[in-house]
């Protein structure tokens, strides 16, 4: 076929298989045909398709080398083997990226000291199509060499006195000397077969230049005859053992290859404590892990799982602080209640000193660190077992089994972070007060320019022999907080309009704010609605902007407080059913009393001015001038005559009684801007508590904490949930 047409894959296979060499005595030549055939499979060549140029070139080269087999004469007699004094069987193994091979040789020593080396058999194979590392192929060659040696011993009547296996791979020698248990399955299974057939002392290292198996893993030799070293064996076998090659450096120090198995201790195989939130679950998982690891041993259970966790905790402490034993000696000098003991499990256990000599469960409880996750889980389990008891009960139960360093702070921290206890102690949050409207801050405006309107009552008033109901219309200046009261004959539209017109006769409001009538009860709802609609029409006719506030806002809670103040003032003087004129008089006196309340801090120092009141904005002073003059008059012993009363009124200084003192009002506005308005910056909750900053800054412990959900009732009796 040499020089003829280009062959197909079928023809290459037929020619390669026509070479009969069961002992692979010509393996350096015949293995090349198998590599060429494997190349056709990698290229995907069809059976009857001509091979590519590269394969065709290698094929012609192999055919030229194959011609050397015609002149090859291999002697099959082992010289001196029958009458030899000593027989040795030497096996050489080697591998490359595409081939691995092994060959065996008889080495016989005659009585006169002459040494003969003869080839017994060989074996060469191509590497699999799947990419395999060279160390693994070297191990495959070692396994094949062991099988060749076993076959040679079984098929010969004479037995070797000594066996020697040679390899140039230090990695394989390291694997063999280490053992199969230290490596992954691929390496471990093959090492197990090698350990069954050979001994570790039978394996030796040989340089690649003296390894005859290397000839079968390379390209075919140019001159392959019976004088080739493949048939005669390496030259060093004809010398004494002292001259054989040996490894100078330690084989055990070879770098890792990735085939090593990660050896896991029993304690390291335990579950990670930081991944558990329950002590009971950690305890049971640890017992299950120990049961799986050591299933045949009896006595491992929950108690053994707890001891294993303690062992791991001791090892973890030693890893974090190698000098923890020296630190322990210093601690023992300070705390005399701690001593060290070594139990049967061969790990150090710190125990508290005790006078109890008998074998009692409270004798010397173990000393543990309060910051360790296991201790926190155990304290949490005891806390839940005691139905979420307090610090004292939990401390008393924990110290029965463990002596926790910083016991009380640790238990307080665990109870503080208990979710169920936090939910039980949580209180619903209160919404902040809304922002003040612009009408509340409209300074330097006429009093009652921005008015808030509300109704309250009814009051029973005597009109002749009849008893009639009267309501009170409360007008409050949203800026100065002054109040004006008008008596409404009822909830009819006419009564509401008349009350607003009487108020407009004193001051012309720009805006009127009122609620939507929800403060009136069942039967008065329709009448109140009619009164509100009629009042709104009257206000629109006088160019007044009427606005409605939402139901029960916290920013308008002052309207209800003013109603309470007026009711409190009337409760002192209104003790029986008054007449209409008396009721009006008492109502005006209550109005004056409420307008005299201080809006700023009342100082007792003589150097400070008087407190600011709504009367300062309305009259220019804290009280009416006519009242100040009437206070200096002595009451007469006998009621004066009408002309005397007229004389008293004429004697009053009416020059200081203007409708509105402009200078006093201006001074009041300046004081209100500087002292009264800044006091309204703070937000107040519905319970009356003031907070400068409503949303407090969260501490580091509260960051990342789950929100607390609190179930509470709203103002309408329904259920709602709030989060904190």
């Amino acid at each position: 076929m040499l020089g003829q047409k280009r062959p197909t894959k079928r023809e290459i296979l037929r020619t390669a298989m026509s070479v009969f060499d069961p002992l692979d005595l010509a393996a350096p030549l015949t293995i090349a045909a198998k590599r060429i055939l494997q190349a056709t499979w990698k290229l995907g060549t069809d059976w009857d398709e001509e091979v590519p140029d590269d394969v065709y070139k290698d094929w012609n080269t192999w055919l030229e080398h194959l011609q050397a087999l015609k002149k090859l004469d291999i002697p099959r007699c082992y010289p001196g083997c029958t009458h030899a004094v000593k027989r040795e069987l030497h096996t050489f193994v080697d591998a490359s990226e595409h081939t691995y091979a092994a060959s065996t040789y008889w080495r016989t020593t005659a009585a006169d000291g002459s040494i003969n080396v003869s080839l017994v058999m060989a074996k060469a194979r191509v590497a699999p199509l799947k990419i395999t590392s060279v160390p693994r192929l070297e191990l495959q060659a070692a396994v094949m060499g062991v099988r060749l040696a076993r076959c040679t011993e079984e098929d010969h009547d004479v037995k070797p006195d000594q066996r020697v296996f040679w390899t140039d791979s230090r990695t394989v020698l390291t694997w063999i000397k280490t053992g199969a248990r230290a490596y992954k399955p691929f390496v471990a299974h093959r090492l197990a077969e090698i350990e069954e057939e050979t001994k570790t002392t039978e394996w030796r290292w040989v340089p690649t230049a003296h390894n005859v198996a290397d000839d079968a893993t390379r390209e075919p030799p140019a001159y392959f005859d019976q004088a080739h070293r493949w048939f005669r064996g390496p030259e060093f076998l004809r010398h004494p053992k002292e001259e054989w090659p040996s490894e100078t450096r330690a084989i055990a120090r070879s770098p890792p290859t990735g085939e090593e198995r990660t050896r896991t201790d029993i304690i390291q195989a335990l579950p990670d404590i930081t991944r558990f939130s329950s002590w009971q679950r950690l305890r049971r998982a640890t017992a299950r892990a120990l049961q799986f690891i050591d299933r045949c041993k009896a006595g491992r259970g929950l108690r053994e799982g707890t001891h294993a966790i303690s062992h791991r905790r001791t090892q973890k402490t030693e890893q974090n602080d190698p000098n923890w034993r020296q630190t322990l000696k210093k601690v023992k000098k300070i705390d005399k209640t701690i001593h060290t003991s070594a139990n049967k499990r061969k790990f150090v256990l710190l125990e508290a000193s005790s006078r109890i000599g008998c074998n009692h469960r409270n004798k010397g409880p173990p000393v543990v660190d309060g910051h360790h996750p296991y201790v926190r889980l155990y304290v949490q389990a005891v806390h839940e077992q005691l139905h979420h008891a307090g610090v004292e009960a939990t401390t008393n139960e924990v110290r029965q089994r463990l002596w926790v360093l910083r016991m009380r702070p640790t238990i307080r921290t665990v109870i503080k972070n208990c979710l169920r206890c936090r939910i039980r102690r949580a209180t619903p949050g209160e919404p902040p007060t809304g922002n003040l409207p612009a009408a509340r801050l409209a300074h330097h405006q006429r009093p009652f320019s921005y008015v808030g309107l509300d109704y309250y009552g009814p009051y029973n008033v005597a009109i002749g022999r009849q008893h009639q109901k009267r309501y009170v219309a409360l007008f409050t200046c949203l800026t100065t907080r002054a109040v004006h009261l008008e008596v409404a004959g009822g909830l009819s539209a006419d009564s509401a309009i008349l009350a607003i017109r009487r108020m407009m006769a004193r001051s012309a409001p720009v805006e009127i704010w009122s609620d939507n009538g929800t403060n009136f009860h069942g039967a008065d709802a329709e009448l109140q609605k009619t009164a509100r609609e009629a009042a709104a029409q009257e206000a629109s006719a006088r160019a007044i902007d009427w606005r409605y506030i939402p139901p029960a806002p916290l920013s308008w809670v002052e309207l209800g407080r003013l109603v309470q103040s007026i009711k409190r003032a009337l409760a002192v003087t209104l003790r029986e059913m008054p007449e209409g004129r008396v009721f009006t008089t008492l109502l005006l006196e209550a109005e004056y009393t409420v307008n005299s309340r201080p809006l700023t801090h009342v100082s007792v120092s003589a150097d400070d001015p008087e407190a600011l009141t709504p009367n300062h904005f309305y009259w220019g002073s804290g009280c009416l001038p006519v009242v100040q003059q009437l206070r200096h008059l002595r009451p007469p012993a006998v009621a004066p005559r009408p002309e005397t009363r007229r004389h008293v009124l004429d004697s009053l200084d009416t020059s200081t009684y203007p409708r509105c003192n402009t200078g006093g009002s201006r001074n009041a506005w300046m004081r209100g801007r500087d002292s009264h308005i800044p006091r309204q910056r703070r937000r107040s909750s519905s319970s009356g508590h003031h907070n400068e900053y409503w949303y407090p800054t969260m501490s580091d412990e509260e960051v990342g904490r789950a929100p607390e959900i609190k179930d509470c009732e709203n103002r309408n009796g329904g259920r709602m949930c709030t989060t904190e």
Side-chain angles (χ1 to χ4, degrees):
M1 297 180 62
L2 183 62
Q4 298 180 4
K5 67 174 184 176
R6 181 173 300 185
T8 62
K9 185 169 69 172
R10 190 187 304 275
E11 294 174 349
I12 291 177
L13 177 62
R14 181 179 57 193
T15 304
M17 294 296 103
S18 63
V19 179
F20 181 74
D21 186 12
L23 299 180
D24 271 350
L25 299 179
L29 292 180
T30 58
I31 193 62
K34 298 179 181 179
R35 289 199 295 263
I36 295 173
L37 185 62
Q38 188 184 53
T40 60
W41 282 101
K42 290 181 179 180
L43 296 175
T45 306
D46 198 5
W47 284 104
D48 298 324
E49 182 182 356
E50 294 182 353
V51 297
D53 295 339
D54 296 340
V55 178
Y56 179 61
K57 181 179 179 180
D58 296 339
W59 176 252
N60 288 332
T61 303
W62 180 76
L63 291 178
E64 293 177 358
H65 292 157
L66 192 63
Q67 301 300 323
L69 294 179
K70 297 179 180 180
K71 303 177 182 180
L72 183 62
D73 186 11
I74 304 174
R76 294 308 301 148
C77 179
Y78 306 138
C81 184
T82 305
H83 304 285
V85 178
K86 185 177 181 180
R87 303 179 184 88
E88 299 176 1
L89 185 63
H90 292 260
T91 304
F92 292 84
V93 297
D94 192 22
S96 62
E97 295 180 356
H98 49 76
T99 310
Y100 60 96
S103 59
T104 57
Y105 296 85
W106 279 112
R107 181 180 184 271
T108 59
T109 304
D112 56 356
S114 60
I115 299 175
N116 295 314
V117 179
S118 304
L119 175 64
V120 179
M121 62 183 301
K123 192 67 176 178
R125 291 181 179 178
V126 294
L129 292 177
K130 182 180 179 180
I131 298 177
T132 307
S133 62
V134 175
R136 285 192 173 189
L137 293 177
E138 294 277 4
L139 183 61
Q140 288 279 74
V143 174
M144 190 167 57
V146 171
R147 294 173 181 174
L148 284 178
R150 181 183 59 191
C151 181
T152 302
E153 292 183 38
E154 293 176 355
D155 295 341
H156 287 76
D157 295 335
V158 293
K159 303 301 178 182
D161 300 326
Q162 182 183 1
R163 296 185 309 175
V164 181
F165 296 88
W166 300 88
T167 179
D168 57 359
S169 175
R170 294 186 176 91
T171 302
V172 174
L173 291 177
T174 302
W175 290 348
I176 294 174
K177 293 181 181 298
T178 303
R181 296 181 179 273
Y183 299 98
K184 295 179 181 179
F186 182 91
V187 177
H189 293 165
R190 287 154 181 80
L191 290 179
E193 183 177 353
I194 294 175
E195 291 176 356
E196 291 179 1
E197 301 293 338
T198 64
K199 299 179 181 179
T200 306
T201 56
E202 294 178 347
W203 287 87
R204 299 189 61 170
W205 176 81
V206 61
T208 305
H210 299 287
N211 191 358
V212 292
D214 185 63
D215 297 339
T217 61
R218 298 180 180 273
E219 296 297 328
Y223 301 97
F224 189 71
D225 52 8
Q226 59 184 5
H228 196 272
R229 72 169 187 173
W230 174 259
F231 301 104
R232 295 174 53 85
E235 189 64 28
F236 68 86
L237 289 181
R238 294 176 175 82
H239 297 84
K241 293 183 179 180
E242 292 77 10
E243 299 180 7
W244 290 359
S246 60
E247 178 63 31
T248 57
R249 64 178 182 177
I251 298 178
R253 296 182 180 179
S254 61
T257 59
E259 299 291 344
E260 292 79 9
R261 177 182 297 174
T262 304
R263 302 189 64 179
T264 305
D265 192 13
I266 294 179
I267 301 302
Q268 296 179 356
L270 295 179
D272 187 6
I273 298 178
T274 58
R275 301 181 62 181
F276 287 83
S277 60
S278 173
W279 181 76
Q280 290 291 350
R281 193 178 295 112
L282 170 64
R283 192 183 182 194
R284 296 181 185 277
T286 304
R288 283 293 185 183
L290 295 177
Q291 183 182 14
F292 175 77
I293 294 173
D294 198 5
R295 192 178 184 87
C296 297
K297 293 183 179 180
R300 287 189 181 269
L302 294 179
R303 185 182 302 275
E304 191 70 17
T306 305
H307 293 161
I309 296 174
S310 301
H311 186 185
R312 182 176 184 177
R313 186 174 63 247
T314 304
Q315 286 188 344
K316 191 70 174 178
T317 304
E318 190 169 6
Q319 292 177 2
N320 297 336
D321 187 8
N323 300 324
W324 70 278
R325 300 179 187 273
Q326 288 75 10
T327 307
L328 175 62
K329 294 180 180 180
K330 298 179 182 179
V331 175
K332 290 170 62 177
K333 292 180 180 179
I334 301 175
D335 192 350
K336 301 299 182 181
T337 62
I338 299 177
H339 72 278
T340 307
S341 65
N343 56 10
K344 297 180 181 180
R345 296 170 186 81
K346 298 181 181 180
F347 62 88
V348 178
L349 183 65
L350 305 182
E351 296 180 351
S353 300
S354 175
R355 297 177 60 188
I356 302 176
C358 59
N359 188 12
H360 194 266
R361 67 185 184 93
N362 292 332
K363 174 189 175 182
V367 179
V368 294
D369 186 9
H371 292 296
H372 197 274
Y374 172 78
V375 179
R376 298 292 181 93
L377 292 179
Y378 177 73
V379 173
Q380 180 68 25
V382 173
H383 174 63
E384 295 176 356
Q385 184 180 1
L386 297 179
H387 305 287
H388 296 270
V391 177
E392 297 300 325
T394 307
T395 303
N396 181 65
E397 185 67 22
V398 169
R399 65 172 300 181
Q400 303 298 325
R401 297 184 180 275
L402 295 178
W403 188 271
V404 183
L405 300 179
R406 299 176 299 276
M407 182 178 297
R408 290 185 184 275
T410 301
I411 295 177
R412 288 195 187 97
T413 302
V414 172
I415 295 178
K416 180 181 178 182
N417 296 331
C418 179
L419 181 59
R420 182 166 297 182
C421 294
R422 287 171 52 199
I423 294 176
R424 185 182 59 186
R425 295 191 303 263
T427 56
E430 298 178 353
T433 308
N435 296 330
L436 293 175
R440 292 287 303 275
L441 305 176
H443 58 85
H444 286 82
Q445 299 289 337
R446 295 190 311 273
F448 293 96
S449 295
Y450 299 91
V451 178
L453 173 60
D454 195 7
Y455 268 45
Y456 73 92
Y459 289 94
N460 292 325
V461 179
I463 305 297
R465 294 183 179 182
Q466 298 180 357
H467 295 171
Q468 297 182 3
K469 292 182 179 181
R470 293 290 184 266
Y471 292 86
V472 178
L474 171 63
F475 297 90
T476 177
C477 180
L478 299 178
T479 305
T480 63
R481 310 302 298 133
V483 297
H484 176 73
L485 304 178
E486 290 290 345
V487 179
L491 295 178
S492 62
D494 296 337
S495 299
I497 293 174
L498 291 176
I500 294 175
R501 293 182 64 177
R502 287 194 299 270
M503 189 270 168
M504 292 179 181
R506 297 174 177 268
S507 178
V510 179
E511 290 181 0
I512 296 180
W513 292 75
S514 65
D515 57 14
N516 294 274
T518 56
N519 57 331
F520 294 93
H521 299 284
D524 299 332
E526 294 297 330
L527 296 176
Q528 175 65 16
K529 181 178 179 181
T530 304
R532 291 286 184 248
E533 293 177 355
Q537 293 176 2
E538 181 67 18
S540 177
R542 295 178 178 268
I544 298 176
D545 187 10
W546 193 293
R547 297 187 179 183
Y548 297 95
I549 60 177
L554 294 179
S555 60
W556 295 91
V557 72
E558 287 82 358
L559 290 177
R561 293 178 180 176
L562 291 176
V563 172
Q564 294 179 3
S565 300
I566 295 174
K567 287 183 177 181
R568 192 180 301 110
L570 287 176
V572 178
T573 57
L574 191 61
R575 298 184 179 180
E576 58 184 9
M577 186 181 302
E579 295 182 357
R581 294 174 298 176
V582 176
F583 178 71
T584 304
T585 303
L586 296 178
L587 200 62
L588 294 177
E589 290 180 354
E591 173 187 332
Y592 174 77
T593 301
V594 174
N595 287 335
S596 299
R597 71 188 187 281
L599 299 178
T600 59
H601 174 67
V602 180
S603 177
V604 296
S605 176
D607 299 332
D608 295 335
E610 60 180 344
L612 188 64
T613 63
N615 282 333
H616 283 83
F617 299 96
Y618 198 59
W619 302 105
S621 61
C623 59
L624 295 178
V626 64
V627 178
Q628 296 177 358
Q629 297 182 27
L630 287 175
R631 289 176 180 174
H632 296 287
L633 296 178
R634 296 179 60 185
V638 181
R641 293 188 298 272
E643 59 271 12
T644 306
R645 297 177 184 174
R646 189 179 301 109
H647 174 72
V648 172
L649 294 176
D650 294 340
S651 63
L652 294 177
D653 186 7
T654 58
S655 61
T656 60
Y657 182 48
R659 176 63 177 172
C660 181
N661 190 343
T662 306
S665 299
R666 186 181 299 108
N667 186 24
W669 280 115
M670 298 297 293
R671 292 180 58 190
R673 183 190 61 183
D674 298 337
S675 59
H676 176 56
I677 294 179
R679 289 173 57 88
Q680 303 182 28
R681 291 184 306 175
R682 295 184 298 175
R683 299 181 183 271
S684 60
S685 61
S686 59
S687 59
H689 299 287
H690 296 277
N691 294 323
E692 186 70 21
Y693 303 98
W694 180 258
Y695 299 101
T697 304
M698 299 179 65
S699 61
D700 295 339
E701 298 180 356
E702 295 176 348
V703 175
R705 180 181 295 174
E708 299 176 0
I709 301 177
K710 187 67 177 179
D711 190 9
C712 57
E713 295 185 359
N714 58 11
R715 61 191 302 269
N716 295 325
R719 308 296 296 180
M720 64 179 180
C721 294
T722 60
T723 59
E724 295 183 355

